[in-house]
DNA sequence: TTCATGCTTCGACTAGCATCGAAGCATGAA
DNA sequence: TTCATGCTTCGATGCTAGTCGAAGCATGAA
């Protein structure tokens, strides 16, 4: 017997690691280009194109052409709901043993997601902002608190300028680890730029890796995550 | 990148046609043996054993040993819920094009499911019993009506004896087509036996095919499905 | 036009996995 | 014990599908 009932097709579509990575990357709700999804999935752009075609044919994704980019997004909430159901069930079982995300340690530590900081440091930053009440979550969406607003301005972020944009200031973005979030939105983007301007971090060309200097990492943790200065990195702040 | 997030494993498990067939067969809620599941999936028993091991390792199925049989069932309601979600989504998309179930026409027409009649004739019988109000559905479970009870006794079924058993008299069983049901339970079993005793049908050895004679098929449809005698089969009843 | 970018299509390669035959193991019956 | 049944494990085969290189196509910029 070769052909099976419809759930087999659906399962097979989600069952490929590359496609599953793309789908989880899109669970944040935003639309991503084919290139970005390829990077998220860790495959070349040709391979990604093939996968995206299949997902679109099955009506799991929709495509929106914009200039020379093609943005992909989940077709509707049903797809997102199914993915959440599957993630919940998989998490409740022992199925979380295989390492998720990039195998490259540098990629796991800090990388660019779209235009903002992701990876372990991205998650720690987000958690730190929450813990120090610079950010609060209402209805699962991150909101900058008045204190947070002041601190961001002190840090050199032009919040007023960002708020005039149509883009949301804060947005949460589901990380590779798939159960942790990091900060996206225009604030997320500006923070990463600011880290680079301050010399804390440097983006590796033609890659998604973000290299933090030892000093930069310490400063980041001290500034936003309430860590005491003079920790293991040695070069005290 | 070879390993993906957990939903990929889950999807891949459900994504194989043989495994998907087994899971849908178990959605009726009952427990089936490895051999029965192999027949449902249309694979040999060795292949089925391999699949069952994987499903059990992933905690999608549980195994209960009983004598020299091993009964398999869905691990819990979460698994069933996920399968239903997937079936719903798959049905809403165009994903229902591939033929479900056995490719063998004889198997599609009439076969043994566990111990009762399945296939097209099984579904027609169930629909006919409902249409002639011999059976009614309350909360999705079939119940024999008083009229139905009389007719079954007339037909030669010892309803009183069946009712003393612990087994339920009527149960619905999800068919291959996965969106139609047929009659299981002790009544379903007794009806199949009675069909054989009357010479209407004959079970093919070492197979799940049930051969109905032309006369037997007509009699079945006339008796329970309200069909007029003297239809296309020629040998009028 | 010419060039650059973003994506798709084609073709070939390869890895993984489903599949089944044969043998092995366990349970129950005689 | 011996035999039969139900299922698992091992080994080998074959096929599907994911993958990437290279070329083709479309859009936008200069």
């Amino acid at each position: 017997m070769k052909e099976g009932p419809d759930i087999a097709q659906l399962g097979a579509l989600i069952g490929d690691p590359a496609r599953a990575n793309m789908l989880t990357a899109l669970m944040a709700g935003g639309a991503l280009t084919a290139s970005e999804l390829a990077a998220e999935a860790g495959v070349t752009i040709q391979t990604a194109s093939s996968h995206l075609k299949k997902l679109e044919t099955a009506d799991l994704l929709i495509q929106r052409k914009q200039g020379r980019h093609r943005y992909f997004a989940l077709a509707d909430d049903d797809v997102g709901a199914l993915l959440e159901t599957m993630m919940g069930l998989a998490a409740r079982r022992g199925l979380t043993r295989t390492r998720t995300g990039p195998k490259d340690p540098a990629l796991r530590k800090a990388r660019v997601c779209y235009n903002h900081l992701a990876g372990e440091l991205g998650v720690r930053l987000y958690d730190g902002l929450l813990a120090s009440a610079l950010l609060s979550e209402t209805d699962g969406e991150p909101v900058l608190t008045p204190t947070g607003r002041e601190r961001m301005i002190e840090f050199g972020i032009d919040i007023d300028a960002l708020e005039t944009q149509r883009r949301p200031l804060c947005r949460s973005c589901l990380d590779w680890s798939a159960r942790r979030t990091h900060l996206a939105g225009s604030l997320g983007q500006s923070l990463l730029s600011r880290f680079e301007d301050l010399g804390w971090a440097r983006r590796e060309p033609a890659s998604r890796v973000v290299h933090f200097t030892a000093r930069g990492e310490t400063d980041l943790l001290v500034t936003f995550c309430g860590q005491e200065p003079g920790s293991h990195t040695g070069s005290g702040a």
Side-chain angles (χ1 to χ4, degrees), chain A:
Chain A
M1 181 103 13
K2 270 292 82 176
E3 67 264 309
D6 17 42
I7 68 168
Q9 305 172 50
L10 192 53
L13 280 171
I14 306 177
D16 178 76
R19 285 193 291 261
N21 284 337
M22 294 177 177
L23 290 170
T24 46
L26 290 172
M27 274 188 70
L32 297 176
T33 67
S35 321
E36 289 165 342
L37 286 169
E40 286 286 342
V43 294
T44 63
I45 195 172
Q46 311 95 286
T47 304
S49 180
S50 158
H51 288 308
L52 290 170
K53 188 178 183 181
K54 291 180 185 179
L55 291 172
E56 197 187 355
T57 304
D59 286 332
L60 296 184
L61 295 186
I62 51 172
Q63 186 186 149
R64 186 163 42 92
K65 294 182 70 168
Q66 200 172 70
R68 39 184 167 185
H69 292 276
R70 301 201 178 184
Y71 286 90
F72 291 86
L74 299 187
D76 53 41
D77 290 344
D78 288 348
V79 179
L82 172 62
L83 293 174
E84 284 198 21
T85 303
M86 294 184 72
M87 292 179 67
L89 189 69
R92 251 169 285 140
R93 319 277 140 153
L95 289 185
T96 177
R97 76 193 88 118
T98 68
R99 287 275 289 270
T100 64
K103 73 274 169 197
D104 182 355
L107 270 179
R108 297 187 64 85
K109 173 122 187 184
R111 67 177 182 282
V112 176
C113 171
Y114 204 14
N115 52 28
H116 53 266
L117 183 65
E120 290 172 19
L121 279 179
V123 170
R124 292 185 66 177
L125 172 62
Y126 190 80
D127 291 346
L129 291 173
L130 281 179
S132 38
L134 305 181
L135 213 59
S136 71
E137 279 184 338
T138 54
D139 293 333
E141 278 304 300
V143 179
L144 198 60
T145 63
T147 325
R149 191 185 156 83
E150 285 177 26
R151 287 283 293 279
M152 287 300 163
I153 293 174
E154 286 173 24
F155 188 61
I157 307 275
D158 189 351
I159 294 285
D160 292 326
L162 296 182
E163 280 177 339
T164 63
Q165 301 177 6
R166 278 182 314 169
R167 294 178 55 196
L169 187 65
C170 298
R171 273 209 20 225
S172 63
C173 185
L174 211 59
D175 210 277
W176 261 107
S177 73
R179 307 218 76 75
R180 307 288 300 276
T181 54
H182 55 250
L183 185 63
S186 58
L187 178 59
Q189 181 178 8
S190 301
L191 277 173
L192 177 56
S193 298
R194 186 73 181 133
F195 296 157
E196 294 180 78
D197 292 343
L198 289 172
W200 290 6
R202 165 177 61 79
R203 292 172 62 161
E204 200 166 273
S207 152
R208 304 175 62 230
V209 171
V210 177
H211 274 299
F212 270 76
T213 65
R215 172 77 177 255
E217 181 175 343
T218 306
D219 286 350
L220 170 65
L221 296 176
V222 168
T223 310
F224 292 114
C225 302
Q227 184 168 306
E228 290 299 312
S231 298
H232 54 83
T233 54
S235 58

